[in-house]
């Protein structure tokens, strides 16, 4: 709670400061616009933080309801990769993909997107100019295996066991504006999907985050797709 309060207090202090300064100065449209834009950024930041805290609180009490809908993890990886590409370009990092086609799991596509995005965002954030980040998706032994590998600074062995804790930052000076919730959320999402997450990291060489998720058995997938097909046919018939 102390960590959460601390994180919430920073944007609130900025909001208060900006508003007080604006109220003290004579009204000028440009200045008001600048202050409102800056306040909106802080409100967005607060909103995202509160949403993350709510998700973590719900997952603590076992109240996260994940749908059992089939999710094409390959498509989610491509969507997340497209979003990450912009970040990679900005930080001059090469982003490399390799994904098996049509790897299906069950759950929430938006949460799985968030999982991949958080891992990819960290990999890009902590990898300095000229490095590379590799996103890989395979399917082996009944599991979907996703890995996010970077050529960044690596994580000291004694810190690897803490990085999935809420608000933990291995090196605050390096945290680059993050909230320290990214990996805690990633772990909650993986656990809610019946999977596992781990890290393999060598100081000075880079890190590799690995996620395993259950695959949808092929017969379940076929039955699900048949049912969807039926639904579409019935809708089509009604429309006629
Ligand atoms: P943050 O918002 O600080 O990035 P995270 O929960 O995402 O919070 O990560 C926790 C800490 O783990 C980070 O502060 C950083 O020290 C370390 N970390 C996470 N990913 C990497 C990575 N790819 N390379 C090096 N350090 C990392």
């Amino acid at each position: 709670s102390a960590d959460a309060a601390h994180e919430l207090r920073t944007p609130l202090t900025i909001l208060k400061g900006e508003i007080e300064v604006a109220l003290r100065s004579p009204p000028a449209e440009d200045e008001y616009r600048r202050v409102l834009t800056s306040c909106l950024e802080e409100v967005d930041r607060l909103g995202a933080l509160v949403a993350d805290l709510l998700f973590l609180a719900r997952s603590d009490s076992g109240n996260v309801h994940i749908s059992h809908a089939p999710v094409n993890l390959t498509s989610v990886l491509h969507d997340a990769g497209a979003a990450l590409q912009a970040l990679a370009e900005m930080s001059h990092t090469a982003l490399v993909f390799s994904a098996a086609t049509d790897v299906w799991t069950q759950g929430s596509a938006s949460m799985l997107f968030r999982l991949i995005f958080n891992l990819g965002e960290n990999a890009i954030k902590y990898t300095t100019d000229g490095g590379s980040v590799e996103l890989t998706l395979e399917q082996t032994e009944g599991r979907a295996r996703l890995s996010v590998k970077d050529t960044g600074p690596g994580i000291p062995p004694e810190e690897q066991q803490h990085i999935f804790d809420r608000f933990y930052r291995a090196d605050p000076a390096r945290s680059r504006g993050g909230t320290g919730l990214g990996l805690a959320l990633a772990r909650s999402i993986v656990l809610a999907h019946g999977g596992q997450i781990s890290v393999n990291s060598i100081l000075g060489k880079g890190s590799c985050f690995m996620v395993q998720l259950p695959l949808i058995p092929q017969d379940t997938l076929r039955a699900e797709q048949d049912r969807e097909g039926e639904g579409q046919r019935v809708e089509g018939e009604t429309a006629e």
Side-chain angles (χ1 to χ4, degrees), residues 122-123 125-126 150 153-155 163 165 168-171 174-175 178-184 207 209:
N122 273 349
K125 186 165 71 171
Y126 295 107
D150 65 58
I155 303 161
I163 54 172
D165 295 347
Y168 186 83
R169 293 164 173 126
D171 176 357
R174 252 179 24 201
S175 97
T179 59
L181 285 180
L183 288 178
S207 309
F209 285 84

Side-chain angles (χ1 to χ4, degrees), residues 78-100:
H78 279 117
D79 291 348
L84 289 166
Q85 188 65 48
L87 297 181
E89 274 167 24
M90 273 191 291
S91 66
H92 308 288
T93 303
L95 189 61
V96 185
F97 288 100
S98 147

Side-chain angles (χ1 to χ4, degrees), residues 29-80:
E29 198 190 322
D30 279 2
E31 178 60 4
Y32 279 166
R33 188 164 287 283
R34 190 198 62 74
V35 169
L36 287 175
T37 309
S38 156
C39 288
L40 192 60
E41 271 170 27
E42 294 309 321
V43 169
D44 284 345
R45 190 173 156 79
L46 278 168
L49 197 56
V50 168
D52 288 351
L53 286 170
L54 193 61
F55 177 81
L56 288 168
R58 285 195 180 132
S59 75
D60 279 351
S61 54
N63 270 336
V64 177
H65 298 292
I66 301 280
S67 83
H68 289 283
V71 177
N72 186 332
L73 211 48
T74 310
S75 310
V76 178
L77 186 87
H78 279 117
D79 291 348

